[in-house]
Amino acid sequence: MQAAEEAVAAVAALESGQAGMPSQVEVASTPPALVARYAVAEGGFAGSTLQLSQDGGYVLQLAMAPVPRSSRGRWSLQDDMVLLQPQDSPRDTVQLVPYEALADERARLQQQFAQLQQALSGTSDEQARAQLEELRAQFAPQHVAGTPLQVTLLDPISGVASDGVQVVLELAQGEPIAADRLAGGNSYRFPAPLPGQAVTAVLLHFPGLAEPVRLPLPAPLRPGYLVLFDACAVGMCVSDTMGLMLEQQEGQVRLQSFGVGVFNAVDD
C-alpha cells in the first residue's frame, strides 16, 4: 500500500532526525506521506473512518450506536501525535437521538420491568409499585400523562460528565420548566407537565456557550430523550484538540485513538 509505505518512511525520518525540514516545521506540520484514508476494523467503533487531506483538513466519521457522529477541522503532526483541531459549530455537535434509534434501549427497559414485576409479585409496597409504573411509562411509545419526563445527556467521545449544564423544557405558553439532575449520572428529571402544557423544545445551557442550544421536540411527546454532545466543542474541556498516537507496526503506519481504536490506512 503506497500511502502506508510512504508514511512508514516519514516516521523513520522523523525518528532519525532526517526529515529534511527545520525543527520549527516539525513541531506542527502536515506531512504529505500521512495524507490518506484510515479506518477502524475492530471493536465497538468498527467502520469509523478518518480522511487526512493534503490541504490540512480532516473528516472524521465515527460509526457508533445509537447514531453515527462526524467532525471536520484541521490536522497536524506534532512529535508522534496527529492532532485534530475540530472546526464544527458547537450547535452542530449537540444532537437529539431519534426515537427510532433507541429500540434497543426500550427493549432493555422492558426486560428490566419484567424482572422487577416478577420480584414484586404479591407485594403490597405502594412505593415499589409506583416505581414499577414509572418504569413502565419510560418505554411507552409516548409520554404518559401524570408521569415525569427525563432527558439524558451523553458525551460518547471524551466521556465528560454534564456538570454545570442546565436543562430546561420550553413550553408553548408559560415559564420554562427546569430539571433536577439525578444523582450519579447525566440524567435530568422533569416533573410531569400539567394538563394543557405543550412542551415544544429542550434548552441546554452549556457553561462554555453564551446562548442556549435549542432542540425542538416534535409531537408526540416521548417519555424520555437522549442528547449526544461533544463536551470539548461546547467549552467544557481544557483542550479541544483530539490526539492520535502515530505508531509503526509490521511495516505499516497506524493511528491509535484512545477510546475509539486503531485507524489503519486503507485503499479506496
Side-chain angles (χ1 to χ4, degrees):
M1 182 163 29
Q2 183 177 0
E5 292 172 353
E6 291 176 348
V8 171
V11 173
L14 285 172
E15 291 177 346
S16 64
Q18 298 175 358
M21 301 181 187
S23 59
Q24 294 90 338
V25 178
E26 289 180 359
V27 170
S29 60
T30 53
L34 295 183
V35 172
R37 181 173 176 269
Y38 300 82
V40 177
E42 300 177 346
F45 287 86
S48 299
T49 61
L50 172 64
Q51 178 71 54
L52 300 183
S53 300
Q54 183 73 44
D55 62 1
Y58 79 83
V59 178
L60 175 65
Q61 301 281 350
L62 291 177
M64 55 181 297
V67 291
R69 303 281 279 169
S70 63
S71 175
R72 295 173 179 267
R74 309 294 298 173
W75 72 274
S76 62
L77 177 67
Q78 182 171 336
D79 298 326
D80 289 332
M81 294 287 292
V82 171
L83 302 180
L84 304 182
Q85 182 75 39
Q87 294 182 335
D88 308 296
S89 166
R91 284 161 176 75
D92 291 340
T93 66
V94 181
Q95 180 180 13
L96 184 69
V97 178
Y99 173 81
E100 294 74 16
L102 295 175
D104 290 345
E105 174 63 15
R106 289 193 297 276
R108 185 190 66 80
L109 289 174
Q110 285 178 307
Q111 183 179 19
Q112 184 180 345
F113 171 82
Q115 293 171 346
L116 185 58
Q117 187 179 41
Q118 184 176 6
L120 295 176
S121 178
T123 184
S124 59
D125 188 334
E126 293 299 326
Q127 183 176 0
R129 286 292 176 184
Q131 293 176 346
L132 187 64
E133 289 307 309
E134 184 174 323
L135 181 59
R136 186 206 298 270
Q138 289 183 29
F139 58 79
Q142 57 185 331
H143 179 259
V144 178
T147 61
L149 189 146
Q150 187 166 300
V151 174
T152 300
L153 271 60
L154 175 64
D155 175 5
I157 305 302
S158 61
V160 173
S162 58
D163 296 335
V165 181
Q166 183 184 10
V167 184
V168 176
L169 288 184
E170 177 189 85
L171 303 178
Q173 295 180 338
E175 294 295 322
I177 304 175
D180 292 324
R181 184 182 180 193
L182 301 181
N186 292 340
S187 292
Y188 296 78
R189 179 188 176 102
F190 295 87
L194 298 175
Q197 284 185 327
V199 180
T200 55
V202 59
L203 303 177
L204 305 172
H205 297 262
F206 291 100
L209 299 181
E211 299 293 331
V213 176
R214 181 181 185 273
L215 300 175
L217 301 180
L221 187 67
R222 308 296 185 182
Y225 294 91
L226 175 63
V227 176
L228 303 182
F229 74 104
D230 183 340
C232 297
V234 295
M236 297 177 65
C237 295
V238 176
S239 172
D240 60 358
T241 301
M242 180 180 178
L244 296 87
M245 182 66 68
L246 189 61
E247 298 180 349
Q248 180 179 347
Q249 185 175 2
E250 298 179 356
Q252 301 292 330
V253 164
R254 63 184 197 172
L255 304 176
Q256 173 74 43
S257 174
F258 176 75
V260 175
V262 178
F263 287 87
N264 292 291
V266 295
D267 291 323
D268 291 324

